[in-house]
Amino acid sequence: MKALSNLLLGLAALAAAHGVAMAAAPDPTVQHPDYADPALWLCRPDLRDNRCKVDLDATVVAPSGRLTLERYVPAKDPKIDCFFVYPTVSNDAGWISDFSPDAAEWDDIKVQFARFGSVCRQFAPLYRQGTLRRLRYPAGGAKPVGEQPPPGFGGYADVVDAWNWYLAHENHGRGVVLIGHSQGTAMLTRLIAEEIEGKPVQKQLVSALLMGGLVMVPPDKDVGGSFKSVPLCHADTQIGCAITYVTFRDRLPPPAVSRFGKARDGLRAACVNPAALAGGKGQPESYFITKGFLNGSGGDIPPEWVRPMRPIPTFFVRTPGLVTTECVRSGDFDYLALHVNAVPSDPRTDELGGQIIRHTGVDLSWGLHLMDVDHSIGTLIRIVRKQGETWVAQAPKG
């Protein structure tokens, strides 16, 4: 209880520093939050302040250099649901985040999840995740405020509570797609293994999109490592399967100290290329942030999307045919290699950012972690649309 008390003090100090009253958000020290509370959700269909309802229009930057506006169109009556667990984005000062979201969580929803509203109802719970400060501390960053929380507090327990509340009150037998990135992928990988596989709800799993994390399989197998019965996806009509990958620049493969993609315990890191589910190369449909990257970690590459540069008024750009992706095996590593198609006649950028930048330079161990979702989100949405149609067609009627 001493650790929990110190955690509360740290959260209170952070709230005071930002002029936020603790009473404005759910109690961050409760063991099991009640996810009936709308304040515990970033996206839920009934929310007045639904963070998935944002401007998602994009400027299409064609290979000719022509700029056109693409209007985002949400689904009017989606037949499936999407349940999203976001990556490490919290800038809170403690070891774990509280239940007071800010621009960090809001921006991630906008970039990585909101666009899925064109194919599904959306659910994105807040959870007390490990913070960016906790992540950076072992590498020389500032120590988080307070003591570490007790084992099992927050984090995964919150995700389980949110999932169970969703099943009990919102699902009503509907198919559901699980979507996660980085820390979110770790949470959902565990959720599938412990709470979904082998249970009746597995029949409702349309698919799982698990980007930027570690999903393991036996060599050249589709199932048997992280999951006992959820296989890797190889077609957009396949349901109950998983798409997973970690992204590295094709000319900068994972170093020996890479955080992602490394084989262990006789298992390989799974890699599924959304742009070529059956294998090989493909050109994904990308939606990039027009300027910068989440958390400001990736710099401002490219400085210009098209030459000569012209004003781009939208938050997003879509860049048809700009990149090619392919799953690659190299030594102990399996990863999605991203290649920028630098064509002399194409006036668009020949370079993309997406890497983590430290004060010492680029951290190659993270690869292109910041754009794991961006480079293929349009393709992932197309796949989910087809998988959803397949699931609905096969679901028992009545």
Side-chain angles (χ1 to χ4, degrees):
M1 291 304 294
K2 179 181 177 183
L4 191 57
S5 176
N6 287 333
L7 173 66
L8 175 58
L9 290 175
L11 293 172
L14 177 64
H18 287 78
V20 177
M22 291 293 285
D27 181 1
T29 66
V30 67
Q31 186 71 28
H32 291 286
D34 182 1
Y35 277 91
D37 186 349
L40 287 169
W41 296 85
L42 291 163
C43 301
R44 204 173 79 181
D46 63 328
L47 296 185
R48 293 180 61 185
D49 185 21
N50 189 337
R51 289 294 166 172
C52 282
K53 305 298 184 182
V54 291
D55 182 2
L56 297 172
D57 291 348
T59 297
V60 180
V61 187
S64 65
R66 183 172 181 242
L67 304 181
T68 56
L69 179 64
E70 177 188 271
R71 296 289 188 186
Y72 169 76
V73 180
K76 292 183 178 180
D77 184 25
K79 303 302 181 184
I80 61 170
D81 295 343
C82 289
F83 186 95
F84 177 64
V85 183
Y86 50 88
T88 309
V89 295
S90 175
N91 284 306
D92 289 355
W95 293 88
I96 63 173
S97 63
D98 56 21
F99 287 128
S100 298
D102 55 28
E105 288 89 355
W106 301 335
D107 287 350
D108 186 77
I109 290 293
K110 183 173 184 176
V111 173
Q112 295 191 329
F113 184 54
R115 197 171 294 277
F116 282 90
S118 63
V119 292
C120 56
R121 289 199 312 162
Q122 294 165 285
F123 297 83
L126 284 167
Y127 70 105
R128 289 167 290 189
Q129 67 168 211
T131 60
L132 285 168
R133 183 173 288 206
R134 179 178 184 168
L135 179 66
R136 293 165 179 166
Y137 176 53
K143 184 177 181 179
V145 172
E147 296 182 15
Q148 295 194 48
F153 180 83
Y156 177 67
D158 289 349
V159 172
V160 173
D161 286 341
W163 171 250
N164 286 334
W165 185 91
Y166 158 77
L167 288 180
H169 298 280
E170 289 283 354
N171 179 265
H172 304 301
R174 293 166 63 93
V176 58
V177 179
L178 300 178
I179 304 172
H181 179 242
S182 196
Q183 186 172 173
T185 281
M187 299 292 176
L188 288 178
T189 300
R190 183 176 174 186
L191 185 80
I192 292 170
E194 296 183 3
E195 303 291 333
I196 296 176
E197 282 196 309
K199 299 183 178 182
V201 72
Q202 186 172 353
K203 295 179 181 179
Q204 292 165 240
L205 181 65
V206 177
S207 64
L209 312 182
L210 306 171
M211 290 79 72
L214 200 60
V215 176
M216 307 300 289
V217 290
D220 302 315
K221 301 292 184 181
D222 288 339
V223 70
S226 297
F227 304 136
K228 295 179 181 179
S229 58
V230 173
L232 303 180
C233 297
H234 291 296
D236 60 8
T237 54
Q238 183 182 358
I239 56 176
C241 57
I243 294 174
T244 183
Y245 58 84
V246 297
T247 314
F248 286 80
R249 205 180 300 278
D250 59 342
R251 65 176 187 271
L252 293 172
V257 295
S258 174
R259 291 173 172 267
F260 306 108
K262 191 172 185 177
R264 67 181 188 190
D265 302 326
L267 300 173
R268 305 286 308 195
C271 182
V272 176
N273 183 4
L277 291 175
K281 297 181 179 180
Q283 292 185 352
E285 184 177 349
S286 311
Y287 286 86
F288 296 113
I289 302 175
T290 300
K291 182 176 176 59
F293 293 89
L294 281 174
N295 301 320
S297 300
D300 287 327
I301 299 172
E304 53 187 31
W305 286 99
V306 64
R307 297 176 298 271
M309 184 59 182
R310 280 153 280 162
I312 295 179
T314 57
F315 186 84
F316 293 99
V317 294
R318 182 163 72 84
T319 54
L322 183 63
V323 300
T324 295
T325 52
E326 180 182 20
C327 284
V328 171
R329 173 168 293 181
S330 178
D332 286 339
F333 290 93
D334 293 86
Y335 60 97
L336 190 68
L338 183 143
H339 175 76
V340 180
N341 299 315
V343 179
S345 61
D346 186 337
R348 298 182 299 180
T349 181
D350 293 336
E351 187 59 277
L352 290 174
Q355 64 279 333
I356 301 289
I357 299 178
R358 310 289 186 196
H359 67 279
T360 54
V362 176
D363 187 342
L364 297 177
S365 69
W366 285 83
L368 294 178
H369 194 66
L370 293 178
M371 65 161 63
D372 274 325
V373 179
D374 312 42
H375 67 61
S376 289
I377 189 169
T379 299
L380 291 168
I381 290 169
R382 177 188 56 77
I383 293 169
V384 167
R385 178 178 286 110
K386 188 66 175 180
Q387 289 177 323
E389 292 170 353
T390 302
W391 188 92
V392 169
Q394 295 181 9
K397 302 300 187 290

